[in-house]
Amino acid sequence: MTWPVDTADLGARLDLRNDRVSDSDALRQHRTIVEILRRLGHQPGIVLADEVGMGKTFVALGVAMIAALADRGKRPVVIMVPSSLHEKWPRDFAVFKERVIKRAGDTSLRAEPVASALDFFRLIDSEAKSRPRIIFLKHGAFHVQNIDQWVRLALIKRAISGMHLGEKRSALPRFAAGLLRTKSSYNDPELFAKLLRIPNRDWRHVINDHYKDRQLTETPVPEAIQKVLDSSDIDVAGLRDCLRDLPARESVSIDERLERARHAINDALRTMWPSTLAKVRFRSPLLILDEAHHLKNPATRLASLFVTDDAREDAGTITGALEGSFERMMFLTATPFQLGHHELLNVIGRFRGVAWKTLSQGTKQEFETELASLGTTLDRAQHRAAELDKRWSSLRPEDVAGPNDGEPSVEDWWRDTASNPSTRPERIQIVMRAFEQARNAMKEAEAPLRKWVIRHVRDPVLPNTSVPRRSRQVGRAISLSPDGSGGLPVGDEALLPFLLAARAQAIVVREGLRAGRATFAEGLASSYEAFLETRRGEPVHEDEEEAAKTFASDKFVSRYVEKLAAALPDEAAYAQHPKIAPLVTRVLDLWRHREKVVVFCHYRETGRAIVRHLSAAMEKQLWSDAAQKFELKYADVRKAVIDFGARFDTDGGMRQPLDDELTRRLALYAELNDEEREQVHDVVRRFVRTPLFVARYFDIRARSGKETLQVAFDTRDLSGVALGEKIDGFLKFIARRCSPRERHDYLDALVRMQPGIRGETQRDIDDDLSQMKSINVMPNIRLANGLVKQETRQRLMLAFNTPFFPEVLVASSVLAEGVDLHLSCRHVIHHDLSWNPSTLEQRTGRVDRIGAIAETVAKPIEVFLPYVGGTQDEKQFRVVMDRERWFQVLMGADYRTDESFTEKAAERIPLPMAAAKALAFDLSVRSACDGPKHEESPTGAKQAT
């Protein structure tokens, strides 16, 4: 048994401080590790639910390290992660091991990623001294489809045992590769013939003797599988019949017979797999499960792994396969209150699957009683919050109007009303009483919930400054010279389409058509290109959950939509769309000031449109700016800029000064080997010579290479960072903060990124831009959507985090979770909004993370939320802003998106920030030395408690 764990010397073993993590963040992480370890000493589990980008991964790795090294049996800690993060966690662990672990004896800690349950079992079968102490396991590892060819061959061998096959037995190895559907190089019939004749436990040696250049390190058939194969818990009758039906030699029906045999193998595996999992007997001191909101439904495959008595959603049950295997559990999620409180209880309820005998106090029955009590308390809090929501909906603009019916100020109204509610009309006093009841109920629920959930919210200011962490720019603020406040205006050329869209929406609302949503109106507000897709009624954006709710119009609405399509401007004018045009202008301005920006959108066609329109505008701006800057004719400037770039080639006049400068800067980093240094020289040279760099950083009229280079390196961006400082920061990062593997990945991503213009632009076969062959896409602008392979997206993310290309990343929801885009970017534009506020927060969290460039330069993260005024876009903006305030109050609120609901929701009075803070749970970890907690009062004043 591992628990309780001594944390007295934790400060000497872990140091979370570094040049990219503030002391306050490092202290919070350290305290959280200590508190989690303390709580796990006497309770079955804990949920860590810090906001996005606050370093949950490093906290989890700290807990995992201490638990693994404290376990006297040297049993591994298991960290289960989504497939999309299976490579990221080991990379983060390498950094953690190198930068955070301080005690020499702890640095021997070894971790390994494992993709399937079979590989996991093989590790468990190995000797303790050779096992990794931490195992990263995919969420779906226990699915039957992950069973490999060796186990399938062992199953075939079990089926033919005792059968009289005659010459078919000798022919079977020839068909084995087809039966197993193996594309690996382990498909030699001679090898299969040997394996079918010898005991399974001897297979590894035979395979390794057969293939000297491909050595297996673990047994092909894990012990758990072997136990089932040796038992009578498996029905192979159907498989035996199919194998008996195989011919002794090739025939015209061989493919059909092989297919039947493959189906029989899969059927046998589905019956064998639950028995296999039931026979696995391993123990681990701790399970850490990332993205724990996937456990909200007990009937799902992942959730049912840990508890025996849950119903499954399909046949082939694996219910309770891991029950009792873990002494403690730790779950990670950034969005606990997106769940309904019953779903949150379901997540916490997975703790009932721990090995209860390892707890010195508390029983499973006591846990069930406590969980039921927590549910009752949360029911009461939710009821009061829902009642407040209902009462709040009764408020009207005139209730919160300022003096002389001026512009409503909800925050001022709330402060005045909360300080003296008795002077207000009775119906407002009813709202205030509902608020007080909800506040009391939330505080009552907070105490028992604190035991099971730890959650920190980020500081509203940047570390060690008074600078706001985020600056939110809404509506027309995306324009360079916004004319007043509110939404983006609709120009005369676009007025008719938007009027027709509004008319069609009015019919949807009036008729209540199938409680649907007029996605054609959302598409129109996004881009003309997106509208042309949504009018067909097809889900064309990346969010599958929202796609399922899209609206299918009736014949009356269809008439308006057809008229709308006919009223669209000419395709040549699509770049002048009311939201596309200001977006392009803003991104261009940021680019001209040498800043990076990430643009998020739902619709694939909008993403493509942004890349297309932005590329055209950027190329025009590039040469226009260059012609003006260098006092050249527009027709001549391109050649002059390209010729200057050629001076970075051998004997070009700029090559040697650049090499000398990079050599000088690289001299500080002994961590880099010669090959890596050469790669740095090549990468920097390839990017700075491109016209997109030359035109912004260099004076092509200058003759002195060294002086010209120095001027370029001193050129600063909008954040005040010089190009030379960016390159120095990049060198320091890859040399001292990256593991060798991570350093290789960064340099490889940059080497494979093509920085040229036009003909030099790389279009990967797995890049969605390949559909735009007739368009000259600028090489510093890249698109990342669901049609781009994960490997390519990973390279784009790594390269975006450097001073080089891409400089503009247009992304769909595939980059909204589990990726880091914060090292070189502090500007994010939500071109398409979302009905769910957590989606916007997840997106912004890609650039708002510990160690973000915003912290380094002490300037806010600029978050743009443009919307088109007087349209569906403005309605969606108002609804999601209102929901954002209620997000942590109405747990698991039903984010309805049908027109009839959102029409009313858009007119609601927004909940004041002070009221939202007063209602929210405080589940943070505090130390006694912190002094009294300062809590927001209902009026917004701070009170010591």
Side-chain angles (χ1 to χ4, degrees):
M1 189 170 75
T2 301
W3 309 93
V5 172
D6 183 14
T7 60
D9 62 344
L10 194 62
R13 301 177 69 179
L14 296 178
D15 186 357
L16 292 146
R17 296 171 297 175
N18 60 60
D19 59 348
R20 289 189 176 271
V21 177
S22 68
D23 288 347
S24 60
D25 280 321
L27 179 59
R28 170 184 53 78
Q29 290 179 322
H30 181 89
R31 285 178 181 164
T32 305
I33 293 171
V34 172
E35 179 63 14
I36 289 172
L37 291 169
R38 185 191 70 79
R39 293 193 198 181
L40 291 180
H42 58 267
Q43 66 186 59
I46 190 76
V47 177
L48 177 61
D50 288 353
E51 282 191 318
V52 177
M54 296 188 70
K56 289 188 295 295
T57 299
F58 270 39
V59 172
L61 290 173
V63 173
M65 182 203 94
I66 299 300
L69 294 177
D71 187 69
R72 290 179 288 275
K74 296 186 177 181
R75 301 168 300 177
V77 167
V78 177
I79 302 180
M80 294 187 72
V81 302
S83 297
S84 60
L85 301 179
H86 195 235
E87 295 180 359
K88 184 177 184 296
W89 272 84
R91 288 197 304 269
D92 288 341
F93 175 74
V95 176
F96 179 88
K97 186 175 178 179
E98 183 177 353
R99 303 299 176 194
V100 177
I101 300 178
K102 297 302 177 185
R103 198 168 73 179
D106 294 344
T107 57
S108 61
L109 187 70
R110 188 166 63 89
E112 237 179 80
V114 173
S116 72
L118 293 177
D119 289 335
F120 177 67
F121 296 156
R122 288 168 184 138
L123 283 181
I124 298 300
D125 288 344
S126 60
E127 296 181 5
K129 63 181 181 181
S130 63
R131 278 199 305 256
R133 304 300 295 275
I134 297 176
I135 296 176
F136 299 105
L137 188 64
K138 286 185 179 180
H139 278 186
F142 290 91
H143 195 284
V144 68
Q145 69 184 13
N146 292 315
I147 297 178
D148 64 18
Q149 75 267 24
W150 302 124
V151 173
R152 291 172 184 270
L153 184 64
L155 181 63
I156 292 173
K157 180 184 173 186
R158 165 72 166 78
I160 64 174
S161 176
M163 290 177 62
H164 298 290
L165 294 174
E167 61 177 328
K168 291 182 180 182
R169 184 177 293 273
S170 60
L172 184 59
R174 296 203 306 273
F175 302 129
L179 284 172
L180 304 177
R181 281 194 182 276
T182 175
K183 296 181 180 179
S184 75
S185 51
Y186 294 103
N187 56 9
D188 187 343
E190 182 181 344
L191 173 63
F192 291 144
K194 290 180 182 178
L195 297 180
L196 290 173
R197 292 195 301 264
I198 64 174
N200 297 351
R201 292 180 175 86
D202 297 335
W203 279 13
R204 183 165 71 94
H205 303 296
V206 173
I207 295 169
N208 288 343
D209 286 343
H210 196 84
Y211 293 106
K212 299 294 185 182
D213 58 334
R214 287 170 241 133
Q215 298 291 290
L216 298 180
T217 57
E218 308 293 345
T219 179
V221 183
E223 188 61 30
I225 300 287
Q226 191 60 52
K227 287 180 180 178
V228 175
L229 292 174
D230 292 340
S231 72
S232 58
D233 295 345
I234 179 172
D235 182 6
V236 293
L239 177 57
R240 289 167 68 94
D241 291 340
C242 287
L243 293 175
R244 186 179 288 110
D245 191 43
L246 287 176
R249 55 191 60 84
E250 294 286 347
S251 69
V252 293
S253 62
I254 185 61
D255 289 339
E256 180 183 343
R257 296 183 184 184
L258 287 174
E259 183 63 24
R260 285 202 301 270
R262 284 192 291 264
H263 282 301
I265 291 173
N266 289 332
D267 290 342
L269 287 173
R270 276 191 287 270
T271 61
M272 179 186 80
W273 194 230
S275 298
T276 303
L277 295 179
K279 290 182 181 297
V280 176
R281 289 292 177 261
F282 77 93
R283 293 291 180 268
S284 167
L286 177 65
L287 166 71
I288 297 177
L289 191 140
D290 195 12
E291 304 291 354
H293 49 274
H294 293 303
L295 302 177
K296 66 182 181 180
N297 182 354
T300 60
R301 182 179 294 109
L302 180 63
S304 65
L305 278 172
F306 308 108
V307 180
T308 299
D309 56 358
D310 283 329
R312 279 297 320 282
E313 63 184 4
D314 57 31
T317 177
I318 54 174
T319 297
L322 301 181
E323 184 172 20
S325 296
F326 301 101
E327 294 180 355
R328 302 290 188 274
M329 295 182 183
M330 175 181 174
F331 296 157
L332 311 180
T333 179
T335 56
F337 304 119
Q338 183 179 348
L339 306 175
H341 64 293
H342 291 296
E343 292 174 330
L344 179 60
L345 290 171
N346 286 338
V347 172
I348 298 174
R350 299 302 90 190
F351 297 154
R352 63 170 60 94
V354 301
W356 283 93
K357 292 182 179 179
T358 64
L359 275 89
S360 59
Q361 52 183 295
T363 64
K364 186 176 181 180
Q365 184 56 47
E366 290 171 339
F367 171 74
E368 298 284 4
T369 301
E370 189 171 350
L371 199 61
S373 175
L374 175 60
T376 301
T377 306
L378 287 174
D379 280 342
R380 187 158 50 248
Q382 186 74 352
H383 173 75
R384 292 299 185 188
E387 180 66 19
L388 171 61
D389 180 47
K390 178 181 177 181
R391 298 296 183 186
W392 193 269
S393 297
S394 69
L395 292 176
R396 295 291 176 263
E398 55 268 24
D399 295 327
V400 299
N404 302 319
D405 296 325
E407 183 71 19
S409 174
V410 176
E411 301 294 338
D412 291 343
W413 170 83
W414 176 255
R415 183 172 57 252
D416 295 341
T417 301
S419 63
N420 195 4
S422 61
T423 63
R424 300 291 177 174
E426 175 60 20
R427 62 195 205 84
I428 293 182
Q429 291 188 44
I430 292 174
V431 173
M432 297 306 297
R433 286 195 292 270
F435 169 79
E436 283 301 324
Q437 291 171 347
R439 182 170 182 263
N440 292 335
M442 296 293 283
K443 293 305 172 186
E444 180 187 358
E446 179 180 286
L449 190 60
R450 284 181 63 87
K451 176 177 180 178
W452 303 106
V453 180
I454 292 175
R455 179 170 173 81
H456 298 97
V457 296
R458 59 174 52 85
D459 198 308
V461 298
L462 292 169
N464 306 316
T465 74
S466 59
V467 177
R469 187 170 187 91
R470 295 183 185 178
S471 174
R472 177 174 282 183
Q473 310 292 333
V474 304
R476 67 178 66 191
I478 195 172
S479 302
L480 295 184
S481 299
D483 179 17
S485 59
L488 291 162
V490 178
D492 292 342
E493 72 286 349
L495 191 57
L496 181 56
F498 279 92
L499 285 175
L500 290 169
R503 180 57 183 158
Q505 279 184 275
I507 295 177
V508 175
V509 174
R510 185 187 67 200
E511 302 296 334
L513 296 174
R514 298 177 59 184
R517 189 172 92 227
T519 51
F520 63 84
E522 292 177 31
L524 180 64
S526 178
S527 67
Y528 292 131
E529 291 88 344
F531 162 74
L532 291 174
E533 289 297 309
T534 56
R535 68 182 285 243
R536 299 177 185 136
E538 300 173 0
V540 293
H541 50 61
E542 302 287 334
D543 191 327
E544 293 182 1
E545 184 174 344
E546 291 196 11
K549 301 177 183 178
T550 54
F551 170 76
S553 59
D554 74 347
K555 61 180 180 180
F556 298 106
V557 176
S558 295
R559 291 177 187 173
Y560 277 102
V561 174
E562 291 300 324
K563 291 181 180 180
L564 193 166
L568 292 183
D570 185 85
E571 188 173 347
Y574 281 8
Q576 299 308 311
H577 181 278
K579 193 156 64 168
I580 291 286
L583 169 97
V584 168
T585 302
R586 172 63 68 175
V587 174
L588 271 184
D589 183 68
L590 291 170
W591 169 77
R592 294 174 74 194
H593 287 89
R594 306 163 190 89
E595 293 281 342
K596 293 199 172 192
V597 59
V598 57
V599 181
F600 282 105
C601 50
H602 276 314
Y603 298 96
R604 287 176 180 164
E605 284 303 321
T606 294
R608 295 166 184 156
I610 290 172
V611 170
R612 181 170 59 251
H613 300 314
L614 185 56
S615 289
M618 183 177 289
E619 184 166 14
K620 181 178 179 181
Q621 190 76 56
L622 171 69
W623 302 123
S624 175
D625 286 351
Q628 183 177 1
K629 177 180 178 181
F630 303 131
E631 299 178 334
L632 293 170
K633 293 181 179 179
Y634 190 88
D636 300 330
V637 70
R638 180 190 297 268
K639 182 178 185 305
V641 169
I642 292 175
D643 286 348
F644 184 89
R647 293 173 63 184
F648 288 95
D649 297 337
T650 305
D651 301 326
M654 293 297 295
R655 172 70 172 262
Q656 194 59 48
L658 178 61
D659 284 346
D660 291 345
E661 184 67 19
L662 291 176
T663 299
R664 182 181 68 82
R665 293 172 185 262
L666 282 164
L668 299 173
Y669 305 108
E671 298 89 343
L672 300 177
N673 60 38
D674 290 343
E675 181 181 356
E676 291 165 342
R677 291 169 186 273
E678 182 57 37
Q679 279 185 301
V680 168
H681 276 269
D682 181 61
V683 163
V684 176
R685 185 186 312 117
R686 289 171 60 246
F687 281 94
V688 300
R689 74 182 300 282
T690 182
L692 288 159
F693 259 81
V694 169
R696 288 180 298 164
Y697 286 96
F698 293 94
D699 184 353
I700 64 175
R701 298 163 300 187
R703 294 186 178 278
S704 172
K706 184 175 181 180
E707 291 180 8
T708 302
L709 187 69
Q710 191 59 54
V711 171
F713 273 39
D714 290 342
T715 304
R716 298 185 178 276
D717 61 17
L718 197 62
S719 300
V721 184
L723 176 60
E725 293 171 345
K726 291 180 181 181
I727 292 175
D728 284 340
F730 170 67
L731 296 178
K732 184 177 181 180
F733 174 75
I734 63 170
R736 296 180 177 169
R737 290 207 66 231
C738 292
S739 65
R741 172 67 187 181
E742 197 173 21
R743 184 184 307 145
H744 168 273
D745 290 344
Y746 270 99
L747 291 173
D748 179 66
L750 289 170
V751 166
R752 299 179 66 175
M753 192 67 58
Q754 297 298 318
I757 277 188
R758 291 181 179 272
E760 297 178 36
T761 303
Q762 179 187 23
R763 287 195 177 97
D764 297 331
I765 59 173
D766 55 359
D767 191 332
D768 190 34
L769 297 181
S770 61
Q771 300 187 25
M772 302 164 62
K773 294 178 180 179
S774 62
I775 304 299
N776 292 316
V777 178
M778 298 297 278
N780 63 331
I781 304 171
R782 294 300 295 265
L783 175 63
N785 62 22
L787 299 180
V788 179
K789 287 186 178 179
Q790 187 171 341
E791 178 187 358
T792 303
R793 297 200 302 262
Q794 176 68 16
R795 291 202 307 270
L796 291 177
M797 180 270 289
L798 292 173
F800 188 75
N801 270 330
T802 74
F804 310 110
F805 294 172
E807 295 176 301
V808 179
L809 192 57
V810 180
S812 71
S813 60
V814 297
L815 289 192
E817 293 186 15
V819 300
D820 300 333
L821 303 172
H822 62 298
L823 297 181
S824 296
C825 175
R826 63 178 185 90
H827 302 276
V828 58
I829 300 176
H830 299 285
H831 180 80
D832 293 332
L833 298 177
S834 169
W835 295 102
N836 190 334
S838 70
T839 300
L840 297 180
E841 179 57 31
Q842 284 282 358
R843 292 181 190 167
T844 304
R846 299 311 102 210
V847 298
D848 189 359
R849 312 183 73 74
I850 290 179
I853 186 65
E855 296 180 350
T856 304
V857 302
K859 291 184 181 293
I861 293 163
E862 299 283 349
V863 182
F864 291 91
L865 296 164
Y867 64 87
V868 182
T871 70
Q872 170 78 0
D873 221 22
E874 180 171 2
K875 182 197 302 183
Q876 187 173 13
F877 172 78
R878 294 185 180 279
V879 171
V880 74
M881 291 299 100
D882 180 59
R883 287 173 173 173
E884 185 181 52
R885 299 285 177 89
W886 290 90
F887 188 56
Q888 297 190 64
V889 180
L890 284 171
M891 294 176 62
D894 178 17
Y895 292 124
R896 289 174 55 188
T897 60
D898 56 277
E899 293 293 329
S900 60
F901 179 84
T902 56
E903 187 77 13
K904 298 176 183 177
E907 301 301 321
R908 281 170 55 109
I909 301 300
L911 185 70
M913 182 63 74
K917 288 183 177 179
L919 291 168
F921 292 125
D922 176 14
L923 306 173
S924 60
V925 171
R926 298 187 300 273
S927 170
C929 63
D930 291 339
K933 169 195 167 188
H934 288 86
E935 181 182 276
E936 291 284 351
S937 74
T939 65
K942 289 186 176 180
Q943 302 174 326
T945 60

